[in-house]
Amino acid sequence: LCFSHGFDAEEDSVGRLASMSTNERIKAIQKMPETMRKKREIRNKVLKEITKKSRHRGAQCTQGAAVSFRRFGNTLSEYFQQLQPWHKTLKIIGAEFGTSVLSYFVFLKWLLNLNIFSFLINFGFITIPQFLAAEPNNLSFTGLELLTGAGYFQQTVLYYGFYTNATISKVGNGPSYNMQLAYIFTVGIYFVICFFILLFSMARFFSRNFVNSQAFSVNASKLLCTWDFNITNEKAVKLQQKNLLTQIKEGLTEVNKEVQNFSVKERVGCIAAHLLAWVVSLATAVAACAGVYFLSINNLQLFMKGYSNDLQRQAAMLVLPVIVSLLNTLIPFFFSWLGHLEKFQTPGQHIYVTIIRNIILKISIVGILCYYWLNIVATSESQCWETLVGQDIYRLVLVDFIFCLLGSFFGDFFSPPRIIGTTVCMNLGLPEFDIGRNVLDLIYAQTLTWIGILFSPLLPSIQMIAFLIVFFVKKASLMRNCQPPRKVWRTAQMTTSFIFLLFCPSFLGVLSVIGVTVWRLKPSEECGPFRGLPSMYAAVDEWIQILESYTVSKWVVWIYHNLISSELFFFIISTVVLIVTYLYLEIIQARKTMTKLLHNQIIN
């Protein structure tokens, strides 16, 4: 009787769900206190019931196809979610190593998604139309092009110089496609979208980690209300237990912070050690930047002069990227060693100081390279200086990726701390994951990709593949060669800091470089979509002049003259943004105060 009653109740539930709309049915199934397997069974029964009803109504073909397609889509989305490399990995990393190490992999996943979006934009609006007007490539492929980016790749859609300046039209009286406008508008709109993505991401993480930080506090709800009772798999239960235990440890560490009282002599010694470390780190960065500067000045003559064979010429092209990548790989290890000597009170201080030193080094090197590209390569007698810049950035991205893999292999698998900790002094154990060094490697790689988008539109596809491989390599290195942080600490704000560093020094600097290239530099006369123009932006001016003769397009001309090209408009927009930002900061401060008062009331 009980079984019969339960069966009838389930049939009634299926009938009620079948009569609901799609959105209501999805929400109702999600709220059921059942396991995921049971929910899938109920969903499939509901879809079958809907199919039966649709047949009785005479809409068998249409409704049946729609339900079958919906069922296929739901199943496909479930399998696609399981195939994602970070679907389970992030949970394991968070449970085993805490939120500090997890923040690096979350940031890496975020950059991977950003490059996928970049590739789809450029490939859809720039590369595909160029295929329609592409000429056959007469150069031979030797294999060295994969490393140097020269040779056969010069006559492909990988570089700026291959793109045409003509209006593409395959039908006589059909629609045409202006490559000049498509190129500059695609790049321009992409950077505008990236600006808003970074802005909203910073706001979202800031709101989650700073404004609503009490949601992460340690209280009774962490023990009583956090557990997900839909979990029935034994491995998933253990993983959830580890994750919850790590969160409680991090929260308790933050609540029970130890305030260390130092004597005057100890404080003076700490300040002297920090000052000495900063002097040494800045001197090292200056020496590295000076070496890159003198090497970059002679780099153009180095590989432009004649060589006896092609192998020597290809090897000469790799001198600059190898030296730059070598400096960017070795010096951060030295900075991390300096940080260990300084003996910071908390791991967070060590990581943030290391990040600041690394970003000074890497952004300075990128700035010197940009000076070399915009003032030496752009003014050279080369037939297509944009392609030369694109090749340089391609080599830098590829060699940096190779050094990243070598650093993970030799720096982690065969590093002295790992060998000493596992063979000589077993008490030391495995080394910890260096968050600061690895995060700055990602920011440096993404900065090069943003700069290279104008000169090599398909560069995000290369970076996308590189980030995907780095994800798996770093995961394997973390699991085999690193131990959880000895001092457990909660780093909810670190992801916000990573996005801010990506936005402020990196993205804004890239916008300056792209702005100078588009508005000030003269394009090459014999290649690219802007050949023969005084600047790349002149293509927009010519387009506006054409629109002025059409009455229908007067509103576009008015927007261009009164908004886009008006300094007063951007001044007003900047003022409004500053006022809104100030108001939001005041609201945030008020909410923080109110949250503290309510929290104290709950404690009382």
Side-chain angles (χ1 to χ4, degrees):
L1 289 174
C2 292
F3 176 77
S4 177
H5 178 71
F7 183 79
D8 293 338
E10 184 176 339
E11 290 294 326
D12 294 339
S13 177
V14 170
R16 287 197 307 271
L17 291 171
S19 62
M20 295 180 181
S21 63
T22 304
N23 293 331
E24 292 177 350
R25 183 168 59 253
I26 293 174
K27 292 179 181 179
I29 294 175
Q30 288 177 348
K31 292 179 180 180
M32 287 183 175
E34 302 287 350
T35 62
M36 293 301 296
R37 181 179 298 176
K38 185 65 176 177
K39 288 180 180 180
R40 292 192 186 100
E41 292 177 359
I42 295 174
R43 184 194 63 193
N44 293 332
K45 289 181 180 179
V46 171
L47 293 177
K48 289 180 181 178
E49 184 68 22
I50 294 174
T51 306
K52 291 179 182 178
K53 291 183 178 180
S54 63
R55 288 173 180 172
H56 290 299
R57 291 172 185 171
Q60 178 180 354
C61 296
T62 306
Q63 294 293 334
V67 172
S68 300
F69 181 78
R70 193 184 303 118
R71 186 185 304 168
F72 173 75
N74 292 332
T75 307
L76 191 64
S77 64
E78 291 174 4
Y79 283 113
F80 179 75
Q81 189 178 12
Q82 293 176 359
L83 289 175
Q84 289 180 350
W86 48 82
H87 178 65
K88 188 178 179 181
T89 302
L90 295 179
K91 294 182 180 180
I92 297 174
I93 293 173
E96 296 287 345
F97 297 89
T99 57
S100 57
V101 179
L102 177 64
S103 61
Y104 166 79
F105 287 90
V106 171
F107 184 59
L108 176 56
K109 186 198 80 170
W110 190 87
L111 286 178
L112 178 60
N113 292 331
L114 182 66
N115 280 279
I116 292 174
F117 168 75
S118 307
F119 166 71
L120 294 177
I121 290 289
N122 290 345
F123 187 76
F125 293 97
I126 299 179
T127 305
I128 291 179
Q130 177 60 33
F131 281 131
L132 301 177
E135 298 179 357
N137 192 343
N138 298 322
L139 300 176
S140 59
F141 183 76
T142 61
L144 288 174
E145 292 86 351
L146 294 173
L147 193 61
T148 63
Y152 179 83
F153 285 157
Q154 290 182 359
Q155 299 298 323
T156 62
V157 291
L158 183 61
Y159 294 121
Y160 164 94
F162 183 72
Y163 290 84
T164 181
N165 64 337
T167 300
I168 301 173
S169 179
K170 284 297 181 180
V171 184
N173 296 325
S176 58
Y177 196 83
N178 192 320
M179 263 320 278
Q180 289 183 345
L181 297 178
Y183 202 99
I184 193 168
F185 280 147
T186 300
V187 175
I189 293 173
Y190 164 73
F191 277 108
V192 171
I193 294 174
C194 282
F195 176 82
F196 285 108
I197 288 175
L198 290 170
L199 204 61
F200 284 115
S201 297
M202 283 192 298
R204 181 165 54 88
F205 284 115
F206 181 84
S207 175
R208 180 188 303 172
N209 299 326
F210 286 88
V211 182
N212 300 322
S213 59
Q214 294 295 335
F216 298 92
S217 62
V218 177
N219 46 38
S221 63
K222 183 69 68 175
L223 292 172
L224 302 177
C225 307
T226 304
W227 189 259
D228 186 1
F229 289 94
N230 287 326
I231 300 176
T232 57
N233 185 273
E234 185 177 355
K235 292 183 179 180
V237 169
K238 292 182 179 180
L239 183 62
Q240 182 73 2
Q241 288 175 345
K242 284 185 178 181
N243 206 337
L244 183 58
L245 180 62
T246 304
Q247 291 178 21
I248 294 174
K249 286 182 178 179
E250 292 174 353
L252 289 174
T253 304
E254 187 169 341
V255 171
N256 301 323
K257 287 182 179 178
E258 296 182 0
V259 180
Q260 299 180 359
N261 296 321
F262 296 102
S263 62
V264 177
K265 184 178 180 180
E266 289 175 339
R267 290 181 180 178
V268 172
C270 289
I271 294 173
H274 291 323
L275 288 176
L276 181 62
W278 273 105
V279 170
V280 172
S281 61
L282 291 177
T284 305
V286 170
C289 293
V292 172
Y293 174 74
F294 289 110
L295 180 62
S296 62
I297 288 178
N298 299 318
N299 182 66
L300 191 64
Q301 291 80 12
L302 186 64
F303 69 83
M304 287 294 289
K305 65 181 182 180
Y307 289 94
S308 58
N309 55 56
D310 188 64
L311 184 61
Q312 293 181 355
R313 184 173 181 273
Q314 301 276 354
M317 291 180 179
L318 294 173
V319 173
L320 179 63
V322 167
I323 297 298
V324 170
S325 298
L326 195 63
L327 292 173
N328 282 325
T329 301
L330 296 180
I331 294 179
F333 281 104
F334 175 66
F335 287 166
S336 298
W337 179 74
L338 275 180
H340 289 297
L341 292 181
E342 291 178 87
K343 296 181 180 179
F344 291 98
Q345 295 185 17
T346 62
Q349 294 176 354
H350 179 201
I351 290 176
Y352 283 121
V353 169
T354 305
I355 285 176
I356 292 173
R357 290 171 181 169
N358 283 328
I359 204 165
I360 291 174
L361 169 70
K362 293 179 182 291
I363 294 299
S364 301
I365 289 178
V366 171
I368 291 171
L369 292 174
C370 291
Y371 173 83
Y372 157 67
W373 291 325
L374 301 184
N375 292 276
I376 297 178
V377 178
T379 57
S380 64
E381 297 179 355
S382 173
Q383 293 182 352
C384 191
W385 64 267
E386 294 92 347
T387 297
L388 289 181
V389 174
Q391 291 175 359
D392 263 346
I393 298 176
Y394 173 90
R395 287 189 285 269
L396 282 168
V397 169
L398 189 64
V399 175
D400 178 74
F401 167 66
I402 294 173
F403 271 79
C404 180
L405 297 182
L406 293 177
S408 298
F409 187 73
F410 292 103
D412 295 334
F413 285 90
F414 297 101
S415 63
R418 183 182 187 277
I419 296 174
I420 294 173
T422 54
T423 57
V424 181
C425 184
M426 304 295 290
N427 293 329
L428 293 177
L430 296 172
E432 297 181 13
F433 186 77
D434 194 338
I435 301 173
R437 174 174 58 86
N438 286 284
V439 165
L440 264 297
D441 289 342
L442 298 181
I443 294 178
Y444 170 75
Q446 186 59 43
T447 304
L448 290 178
T449 305
W450 274 334
I451 297 174
I453 280 179
L454 185 64
F455 309 102
S456 179
L458 294 184
L459 197 61
S461 63
I462 300 171
Q463 196 62 269
M464 176 181 65
I465 298 172
F467 280 157
L468 188 62
I469 297 174
V470 166
F471 186 92
F472 287 107
V473 171
K474 291 296 181 182
K475 173 207 167 186
S477 175
L478 176 70
M479 296 300 179
R480 291 177 176 269
N481 306 314
C482 300
Q483 66 173 341
R486 295 179 179 89
K487 294 182 179 180
V488 182
W489 56 296
R490 187 173 66 84
T491 54
Q493 295 88 0
M494 285 198 72
T495 307
T496 311
S497 304
F498 297 160
I499 302 292
F500 177 77
L501 290 174
L502 185 67
F503 176 77
C504 188
S506 176
F507 183 75
L508 295 183
V510 169
L511 287 184
S512 303
V513 174
I514 298 297
V516 171
T517 306
V518 171
W519 270 276
R520 296 292 180 87
L521 298 183
K522 182 178 175 60
S524 300
E525 294 288 342
E526 300 180 6
C527 71
F530 304 101
R531 66 189 78 175
L533 296 177
S535 67
M536 294 183 182
Y537 191 73
V540 180
D541 290 331
E542 293 182 356
W543 179 59
I544 293 297
Q545 292 177 2
I546 295 173
L547 292 180
E548 288 179 350
S549 59
Y550 296 97
T551 308
V552 183
S553 305
K554 290 292 184 182
W555 63 276
V556 179
V557 178
W558 185 90
I559 291 175
Y560 175 79
H561 287 299
N562 294 278
L563 299 182
I564 297 177
S565 60
S566 173
E567 294 84 357
L568 179 62
F569 172 73
F570 286 100
F571 176 77
I572 295 173
I573 289 293
S574 302
T575 305
V576 172
V577 169
L578 290 176
I579 293 173
V580 172
T581 304
Y582 173 76
L583 292 176
Y584 267 100
L585 288 175
E586 290 297 321
I587 293 172
I588 288 170
Q589 192 62 37
R591 287 181 176 177
K592 280 186 175 181
T593 305
M594 182 59 65
T595 303
K596 289 180 180 178
L597 292 174
L598 294 173
H599 189 65
N600 291 332
Q601 289 180 13
I602 292 173
I603 293 175
N604 293 332

